[in-house]
Amino acid sequence: MTNNTESRENTVLIGKKPNMAYVMAVVTQFGAGQNEIHIKARGRAISKCVDVAEIVKNKFFKDAKVKSITIATEQVETEKGEKFGVSTMNITLTK
Amino acid sequence: MTNNTESRENTVLIGKKPNMAYVMAVVTQFGAGQNEIHIKARGRAISKCVDVAEIVKNKFFKDAKVKSITIATEQVETEKGEKFGVSTMNITLTK
């Protein structure tokens, strides 16, 4: 991820849509020739990040493997200047 | 985890309590001499599982390391006999 464009191409960022929207995004990218996809989430979306990786692996690309799972904390600042940490997750899937 | 008693001793299962209840459970077990603790969660509790690991690492045991993170799907059957998959997570922390 030294390059933003490159990173966007094989990254799926988990948000508020239903699981299947992100599953389809991953499946589409695998179908388009990507061999490695990063599924990323922050905070409450982390559970969905795991769901998406598991659904892709179990239902769509049975040969896909979890290459790595990393967790971290990102510092976020509110408008009032209060700082707090938000957990982040990055699941790398390869096919 | 060949032995249930052994597994219970160094395992913290994430449920509906506030984050800090589980952080304290991990901190207590590290304090009691455990060198490796498994933090486990299913479904929506997975986000909290990551929060707990990150808080222990960042605020209590700065030398603690994430040894491994694994995800899987567990098959659950409802009373009506419907089967569905639930994502699970296991974070192993070592100090």
Side-chain angles (χ1 to χ4, degrees), chain A residues 44 47 51 54 58 73 87, chain B residues 44 47 51 54 58 73 87:
Chain A
R44 294 304 115 203
S47 308
D51 289 341
E54 284 293 309
N58 296 333
T73 301
S87 300
Chain B
R44 295 303 116 205
S47 308
D51 289 341
E54 283 293 307
N58 295 333
T73 301
S87 301

Side-chain angles (χ1 to χ4, degrees), chain A residues 8-38:
Chain A
R8 238 174 284 139
E9 269 172 15
N10 63 346
T11 297
V12 173
L13 184 64
I14 305 295
K16 290 180 189 293
K17 292 180 196 166
N19 287 358
M20 287 311 286
Y22 304 106
V23 169
M24 284 305 141
V26 175
V27 168
T28 303
Q29 293 200 13
F30 269 149
Q34 291 287 355
N35 289 317
E36 187 168 305
I37 295 171
H38 305 287

Side-chain angles (χ1 to χ4, degrees), chain A residues 19 43-48 50-51 53-54 57-58 66 69-73 87-89 91, chain B residues 19 43-48 50-51 53-54 57-58 66 69-73 87-89 91:
Chain A
N19 287 358
R44 294 304 115 203
I46 285 174
S47 308
K48 196 184 287 182
V50 175
D51 289 341
E54 284 293 309
K57 227 159 40 97
N58 296 333
V66 175
I69 305 176
T70 56
I71 60 173
T73 301
S87 300
T88 64
M89 167 170 271
I91 300 179
Chain B
N19 286 359
R44 295 303 116 205
I46 285 175
S47 308
K48 196 184 285 182
V50 175
D51 289 341
E54 283 293 307
K57 229 161 38 99
N58 295 333
V66 174
I69 304 176
T70 57
I71 60 174
T73 301
S87 301
T88 64
M89 168 169 269
I91 300 178

Side-chain angles (χ1 to χ4, degrees), chain B:
Chain B
M1 285 198 301
T2 48
N3 180 312
N4 259 331
T5 315
E6 187 176 282
S7 128
R8 238 175 283 139
E9 267 172 14
N10 63 345
T11 297
V12 172
L13 184 64
I14 304 295
K16 292 180 187 293
K17 292 180 196 167
N19 286 359
M20 286 311 285
Y22 304 106
V23 170
M24 284 305 142
V26 175
V27 168
T28 303
Q29 293 200 16
F30 269 150
Q34 291 287 356
N35 290 317
E36 188 167 304
I37 294 171
H38 306 287
I39 311 172
K40 295 183 179 185
R42 300 199 325 175
R44 295 303 116 205
I46 285 175
S47 308
K48 196 184 285 182
C49 184
V50 175
D51 289 341
V52 168
E54 283 293 307
I55 294 169
V56 169
K57 229 161 38 99
N58 295 333
K59 311 266 183 193
F60 292 90
F61 284 91
K62 304 216 174 193
D63 295 337
K65 289 197 169 40
V66 174
K67 186 183 175 190
S68 71
I69 304 176
T70 57
I71 60 174
T73 301
E74 222 171 79
Q75 293 303 320
V76 174
E77 196 172 333
T78 64
E79 288 178 8
K80 291 180 181 172
E82 292 155 346
K83 286 177 186 170
F84 62 98
V86 171
S87 301
T88 64
M89 168 169 269
N90 185 347
I91 300 178
T92 303
L93 280 187
T94 54
K95 68 162 184 182

